[in-house]
Amino acid sequence: MSSTTIESAGSSTPSRTLRNAVIRFAGNSQDGIQSIGGFLARLAGRTAQEVMTYMTIPSTISGGPSIFQVHIGSGQVLTSGDEADVLVAFYQHSYDGHISSLRDGGICLYDSTPTSMERDAVVNLKHERGIKHIGIPFTSATVEAVGGSPRDRGKNMFVMGLICAVFNLDREKLVGIIARQFGKKDEQVLRNAMLAFDAGYAYQVGDLDKFFFEHGEAEAGHRISTDGNQMLTLGLLAAGVRYGAAYPITPWSTIMETLRTELPKYGGIYVQAEDELAAVSLTIGAAFAGHLAVTGSSGPGLSLKMEALSYASMAELPLIVINVQRGGPSTGLPTSVEQSDLMQAIYGSHGDCPRIVLAPQDVEDCFYIALEAGKLARKYSCPVIILSDQALSSRIEAFHEPDVDMHWVEPGLNLTPKDADFKPYPLERNTHHAAPGTKMLGGKYPVVTGLEHDEWGHPSGSPKMHSAMTNKRRRKLLDAAAEIHAPKVHGDQEGDVLLVGWGSTYGPIRESTDRLRAEGYKAGHLHLRHIHPLPDGIQPVLNHYKHIIVVEMNDYGAYGYGQLAMLLRARFCNPAIRSVCKTDGLAFRIKDIVTGVEKHLAGGA
């Protein structure tokens, strides 16, 4: 929490002006701490501040310990924060599990409700590292304000009011956000929420400075605060997707739920299939019918789609597949983050099965990556996989609302009559199918099949034809690689070390690069949005650095390199490429990356 301390005129209580603060709420998944974090994030978006959130939820349906961390800043915010400035502990296990995440000298607000009312209240404290403990009876104060039993849920709103007062947040705007959220339910729910909020706002915390955030530096304009899954969904709609079919799985499901309600509004159709195989097969049928369609899943579900995706590659049908990665293998860590589906996304099919793989770098980019996926799928008539991950799916960021009208693609069937010389699979050009119902002036209708085929789609066992069609399908990737621009390098354009990443690690790697430069290293950051094919123009960039460290959330594997690092070593044969990997299901912290890179630079890893 970067701040300056000033004495307030007429008051003995010092005031501290903040540039940023990291607040961690630790409780159980039923406590509504995600709601608190969501309210704070939306408020930041409405006050020209930057925000990034991070949450963990239990993988068991019976609930369990959960956290929601909010990093609010008046300037740029690239991460959810390595350490918390303020810990709000709802239970003893919350305190025990997260006090170590609080920085030295941080503030711990904990539930001091008498144990006769709340058996899990915090009673055992560790007075160490200069941490300031402030006990507040969250539960009993809420019960006093709202009524009911100590087990009634509502103390999250008491805590929300408390935080609003401690940090002198914009109460009017915050109340408006809360009213819009709870007003959707019924009057009694909103009334109880506001009673609890007001009780927390009025509570006299005692020995604690007053905090004020500096004015936000975000440029004027309409800003929104939302998560990656919502922006992917909005991007799909803007890209012209009007057909979706899927099967529920965490953390993909919220995209599916939104498509279910939104697609019919735009004349589209959404189908919840009986399983993953049916879902991808339904979207292949929609693509054959001439529509841009989407299916999605997470790791195990993507595996089940692979045979049908091979069919889509052979039949050259445009299709968008979203894979929101989580920890694996098998059902693994369904509510934790990992980037271990990279090789599956690129190579996880039988035969030579070319496809395009993209990865958004932050929440805002989820919108634009969906637009690009739609364009590439149409242009190259092939499956395009978007690799998001659990962190991006639920992370809330604030940014200017995209100009949806400018990017909007109004879909329509192309039923233009085809000349007699029309071939759906021309060897020398890109494939573009004729949708069923298209008038074929030559009277000869194309065939779609998973068998190897000739230029009309008729099955062919010719060795020469199989080689020619394989070359053609591969050539689409080469053309795409030539079309895509290599990303710009942040930081030093040559020097000691280049940090390379993909996906949700963008912010932590960017901040780590700046940290290394501040320590005297000449360091740069290259973040790849186009994973397969890799853009032309990457190799000259790599040649400008002594060390190339690929930072990714997957395992070192049998040969000591993460999945992207292995891909880059195979592509560029550059022995300077090394890995910093992690597999604990948690997002990278700055110190994880900096420490890992420094070990390499010192020759210790």
Side-chain angles (χ1 to χ4, degrees):
M1 184 160 58
S2 58
S3 65
T4 56
T5 303
I6 58 176
E7 296 292 340
S8 300
S11 172
S12 59
T13 304
S15 297
R16 298 175 65 182
T17 303
L18 305 178
R19 286 285 298 168
N20 59 61
V22 177
I23 308 170
R24 174 173 290 202
F25 302 94
N28 287 332
S29 59
Q30 306 95 329
D31 289 320
I33 56 177
Q34 289 82 9
S35 296
I36 306 175
F39 291 144
L40 288 175
R42 286 198 281 276
L43 178 65
R46 288 163 172 75
T47 52
Q49 292 175 313
E50 301 294 336
V51 65
M52 186 175 289
T53 69
Y54 170 72
M55 76 171 184
T56 65
I57 56 176
S59 59
T60 55
I61 59 174
S62 58
S66 175
I67 69 160
F68 200 102
Q69 184 162 300
V70 185
H71 184 184
I72 303 173
S74 298
Q76 189 178 42
V77 171
L78 290 172
T79 75
S80 57
D82 274 17
E83 297 177 309
D85 300 301
V86 177
L87 171 67
V88 182
F90 280 59
Y91 304 104
Q92 184 67 52
H93 70 73
S94 311
Y95 178 87
D96 295 338
H98 297 283
I99 191 66
S100 61
S101 69
L102 191 58
R103 67 169 174 82
D104 293 354
I107 299 167
C108 177
L109 306 176
Y110 64 93
D111 190 354
S112 61
T113 295
T115 53
S116 59
M117 292 187 66
E118 177 58 72
R119 65 181 181 179
D120 296 321
V122 181
V123 293
N124 297 317
L125 302 175
K126 300 174 183 176
H127 294 284
E128 58 185 15
R129 300 191 290 122
I131 291 173
K132 189 169 197 171
H133 290 85
I134 299 178
I136 299 168
F138 301 160
T139 304
S140 58
T142 304
V143 170
E144 184 178 338
V146 183
S149 73
R151 287 292 178 189
D152 286 342
R153 304 302 169 192
K155 59 185 176 185
N156 63 328
M157 294 312 303
F158 176 87
V159 170
M160 184 73 267
L162 191 72
I163 293 295
C164 181
V166 168
F167 287 94
N168 286 284
L169 303 178
D170 190 323
R171 186 178 187 280
E172 183 178 350
K173 288 183 178 178
L174 187 56
V175 167
I177 293 169
I178 295 170
R180 278 190 290 277
Q181 176 69 23
F182 289 106
K184 300 174 184 174
K185 300 180 179 178
D186 62 50
E187 189 175 329
Q188 185 66 26
V189 172
L190 177 58
R191 174 184 172 276
N192 288 345
M194 291 313 305
L195 282 173
F197 177 88
D198 289 338
Y201 188 79
Y203 190 87
Q204 297 302 307
V205 176
D207 183 23
L208 191 64
D209 295 349
K210 291 183 178 179
F211 299 108
F212 297 87
F213 278 103
E214 289 182 5
H215 291 296
E217 298 174 355
E219 295 179 2
H222 183 63
R223 302 174 77 228
I224 57 175
S225 302
T226 190
D227 60 48
N229 274 6
Q230 288 298 314
M231 291 310 292
L232 273 174
T233 309
L234 181 59
L236 291 171
L237 294 171
V241 170
R242 292 296 179 269
Y243 187 91
Y247 185 74
I249 183 173
T250 301
W252 143 265
S253 293
T254 55
I255 296 177
M256 188 186 76
E257 291 163 5
T258 309
L259 286 175
R260 179 178 62 81
T261 59
E262 294 301 314
L263 273 176
K265 298 177 183 175
Y266 299 94
I269 299 172
Y270 169 79
V271 177
Q272 178 172 324
E274 67 267 32
D275 57 34
E276 301 284 4
L277 283 71
V280 64
S281 298
L282 285 164
T283 50
I284 286 174
F288 169 65
H291 304 284
L292 182 60
V294 64
T295 186
S297 193
S298 189
L302 183 64
S303 306
L304 292 170
K305 296 180 188 295
M306 283 302 172
E307 182 180 356
L309 281 176
S310 296
Y311 182 98
S313 292
M314 176 60 92
E316 299 189 51
L317 293 169
L319 191 68
I320 299 177
V321 181
I322 295 177
N323 182 51
V324 187
Q325 300 171 93
R326 62 189 204 178
S330 187
T331 42
L333 301 171
T335 56
S336 299
V337 65
E338 206 164 87
Q339 295 177 307
S340 50
D341 290 339
L342 179 63
M343 289 300 187
Q344 177 183 209
I346 298 173
Y347 297 116
S349 280
H350 51 285
D352 293 309
C353 188
R355 60 182 64 135
I356 294 172
V357 179
L358 311 175
Q361 64 186 24
D362 55 30
V363 171
E364 183 179 10
D365 193 36
C366 286
F367 174 79
Y368 296 103
I369 213 90
L371 289 175
E372 186 168 3
K375 291 176 183 174
L376 291 172
R378 287 189 177 100
K379 181 172 184 178
Y380 294 105
S381 200
C382 69
V384 176
I385 297 179
I386 298 176
L387 275 181
S388 182
D389 62 44
Q390 185 272 343
L392 274 178
S393 72
S394 58
R395 187 166 88 194
I396 300 174
E397 297 177 24
F399 47 87
H400 286 91
E401 184 176 25
D403 188 340
V404 176
D405 291 339
M406 185 175 75
H407 298 290
W408 192 261
V409 175
E410 194 59 45
L413 278 179
N414 182 2
L415 299 177
T416 306
K418 303 300 180 187
D419 294 334
D421 60 351
F422 171 77
K423 297 175 182 176
Y425 300 99
L427 285 171
E428 303 304 325
R429 302 192 307 275
N430 283 340
T431 290
H432 290 290
H433 292 277
T438 302
K439 190 171 184 178
M440 308 301 291
L441 299 180
K444 189 175 181 181
Y445 285 83
V447 177
V448 172
T449 173
L451 291 168
E452 188 56 280
H453 47 73
D454 61 18
E455 292 178 284
W456 279 96
H458 295 148
S460 170
S462 162
K464 184 178 179 181
M465 183 58 68
H466 180 55
S467 294
M469 282 294 177
T470 301
N471 291 344
K472 180 203 169 179
R473 292 189 288 266
R474 170 171 32 84
R475 198 168 58 242
K476 290 193 282 190
L477 295 183
L478 300 179
D479 291 345
E483 172 186 342
I484 299 165
H485 296 293
K488 294 181 179 178
V489 173
H490 167 77
D492 294 307
Q493 302 301 302
E494 60 182 5
D496 301 315
V497 60
L498 177 69
L499 276 64
V500 182
W502 61 285
S504 65
T505 56
Y506 172 79
I509 297 177
R510 176 63 56 98
E511 196 162 322
S512 299
T513 302
D514 293 340
R515 185 81 57 89
L516 289 165
R517 296 179 74 201
E519 293 177 6
Y521 296 104
K522 293 192 69 176
H525 172 206
L526 181 75
H527 213 75
L528 297 173
R529 296 174 70 250
H530 304 88
I531 310 297
H532 189 71
L534 291 166
D536 291 348
I538 295 291
Q539 185 160 6
V541 176
L542 303 184
N543 292 340
H544 289 155
Y545 298 87
K546 297 175 186 173
H547 302 271
I548 300 156
I549 310 297
V550 183
V551 180
E552 50 188 329
M553 293 181 286
N554 50 49
D555 189 51
Y556 287 98
Y559 305 113
Y561 303 99
Q563 295 187 23
L564 178 61
M566 184 174 290
L567 194 68
L568 294 176
R569 287 178 69 90
R571 170 67 181 84
F572 299 111
C573 300
N574 189 330
I577 297 173
R578 295 285 189 274
S579 284
V580 169
C581 296
K582 78 192 297 263
T583 55
D584 57 6
L586 304 173
F588 266 112
R589 297 176 301 177
I590 309 304
K591 62 182 179 184
D592 296 331
I593 299 173
V594 171
T595 302
V597 170
E598 287 179 334
K599 283 183 180 177
H600 280 296
L601 298 182

